[in-house]
Amino acid sequence: MGKKVTVVGAGFYGSTTAQRLAEYDIFDTVVLTDIIDGKPAGLALDLNQSRPIEGFETKVVGVTTGVNGEGYEAIEGSDVVVVTAGLPRKPGMSRMDLLEVNAKIVRQVAENIAKYAPNAVVIVVSNPVDEMTALAQLATQFPRNRVFGQAGVLDTARFTNSIAETLAVPVKSVKALTLGSHGDTMVPVPSRCTVDGKPLSDLLPAEKIEELVVRTRNGGAEVVALLKTGSAYYAPSAAAARMAKAVIEDSGATLPVCAWVDGEYGISGVYLGVEAQIGREGVKQVVEDKLTDSEIAGLKEAAEAVRAKQADVANL
Ligand code: APR
């Protein structure tokens, strides 16, 4: 059977993710689903009509699903499922304000994934992502390596972009990293940031680095405040699509993702933003690297913050 990826939720995040995945031209099929009648089919038709112009062969299939799982047969045989279903934030909201409403949606989606695509690797992006990832694992009962979340690739890209703009260098000169939660306890990691191999701390004063760290932590809110309706999707979809690509190509790439942590950095039993090798089975291995004491303390603080919330989702 050919390579197949499903994107659940055909909103801004889901439709741009489907577009990027189709344009990679590495899947046979991209399935795009939503609960809104006609929307995924319309977007799929539109994307397919772009194929002769962009020059890709991947077929996009749009399917409307019902409250009782109608339509989910279409996801059968998916190698990867990206979950984008759920409400985005409005200005002034934190991602945590979406917890209850999105938990209901993600639970229902996850149960259908378990039923119709029991061998899929699941990438969760719905917010609050650390909690929704934990919930998707609970609701699917998939092995923990096969369910992980998108946050770190995006947060790292935001950090990288800010550093590149500040120093007026190409983005490709900058190596950066963010770990921790996708929220207030995000842990941008300046000790792992370099520009053309030089430590960031040699190029910028500590106050300026702290400013960039704070901006990274608020990166999503900054976009939401400008858009006023809805949240970011270009950079987020780029991140999710790259992760799905790493899975299907079994690349073994080390990416910052929301993964199950089991002893790394002295932290256990929680989904948290860490670096991990990604491949055909999802998370191959969490990668523990050298961090400063204050970065490790930040990571532990993030773990405790998300641990409490992740316990709550079991009852949502
Ligand atoms: N099954 C499938 N799709 C659903 C379901 C469901 N049970 N419930 C809602 N949806 C769909 C909506 O119909 C809508 O088309 O999810 C889509 C969400 O799209 P947008 O409102 O455009 O939101 P988007 O910007 O795509 O963000 C989606 O990603 O970054 C996060 O915080 C963001 O949680 C939000 C998610």
Side-chain angles (χ1 to χ4, degrees), residues 3-314:
K3 291 183 174 134
K4 180 167 173 178
V5 57
T6 291
V7 180
V8 180
F12 287 109
Y13 199 149
S15 56
T16 43
T17 301
Q19 178 190 353
R20 293 185 190 285
L21 290 169
E23 288 179 354
Y24 287 160
D25 212 12
I26 55 172
F27 291 93
D28 296 276
T29 314
V30 176
V31 177
L32 179 62
T33 76
D34 204 283
I35 48 169
I36 301 176
D37 186 32
K39 185 178 184 183
L43 291 168
L45 178 59
D46 193 9
L47 279 166
N48 284 327
Q49 290 168 346
S50 76
R51 297 192 306 152
I53 307 169
E54 282 298 320
F56 63 92
E57 295 295 337
T58 299
K59 277 263 187 54
V60 186
V61 178
V63 180
T64 296
T65 54
V67 281
N68 297 313
E70 301 90 338
Y72 265 94
E73 319 78 66
I75 80 164
E76 267 168 12
S78 296
D79 301 288
V80 190
V81 179
V82 183
V83 179
T84 80
L87 300 193
R89 302 193 257 177
K90 295 198 171 70
M93 282 173 91
S94 88
R95 294 185 182 91
M96 208 49 81
D97 295 332
L98 301 167
L99 185 70
E100 293 202 7
V101 55
N102 283 353
K104 288 198 178 59
I105 294 171
V106 169
R107 181 181 285 279
Q108 185 253 345
V109 168
E111 286 169 356
N112 282 300
I113 295 170
K115 192 162 164 197
Y116 291 96
N119 299 315
V121 171
V122 179
I123 300 174
V124 179
V125 314
S126 308
N127 274 316
V129 73
D130 304 285
E131 288 71 22
M132 293 304 108
T133 304
L135 175 59
Q137 192 279 325
L138 270 178
T140 54
Q141 285 294 304
F142 284 2
R144 292 193 171 104
N145 60 290
R146 268 213 278 135
V147 182
F148 59 109
Q150 189 300 115
V153 176
L154 168 63
D155 297 328
T156 298
R158 287 176 170 156
F159 197 18
T160 303
N161 184 57
S162 289
I163 294 168
E165 283 189 347
T166 303
L167 291 169
V169 296
V171 286
K172 67 172 187 302
S173 297
V174 181
K175 298 268 174 295
L177 181 65
T178 68
L179 303 174
S181 80
H182 191 45
D184 295 339
T185 50
M186 188 186 298
V187 185
V189 185
S191 74
R192 288 279 305 277
C193 296
T194 58
V195 179
D196 291 322
K198 293 190 203 78
L200 187 61
S201 53
D202 288 0
L203 302 168
L204 287 173
E207 315 79 70
K208 186 68 200 172
I209 294 175
E210 182 54 24
E211 214 177 275
L212 298 179
V213 162
V214 171
R215 189 174 182 202
T216 302
R217 222 174 262 138
N218 296 328
E222 189 180 349
V223 176
V224 171
L226 289 164
L227 292 178
K228 295 178 190 71
T229 54
S231 52
Y233 51 95
Y234 285 116
S237 63
R242 280 292 150 170
M243 289 164 60
K245 186 170 187 274
V247 171
I248 205 70
E249 293 182 337
D250 196 25
S251 77
T254 298
L255 300 174
V257 300
C258 176
W260 184 255
V261 178
D262 193 13
E264 294 83 3
Y265 302 107
I267 301 166
S268 288
V270 67
Y271 269 100
L272 187 67
V274 287
E275 287 185 286
Q277 278 179 2
I278 305 302
R280 195 60 198 79
E281 67 270 49
V283 171
K284 283 176 184 286
Q285 201 188 335
V286 171
V287 178
E288 194 175 339
D289 210 334
K290 203 170 158 8
L291 302 179
T292 65
D293 288 347
S294 78
E295 288 160 353
I296 290 178
L299 205 52
K300 289 190 168 159
E301 193 191 324
E304 293 325 308
V306 296
R307 190 193 303 281
K309 293 284 176 194
Q310 286 179 9
D312 292 347
V313 294

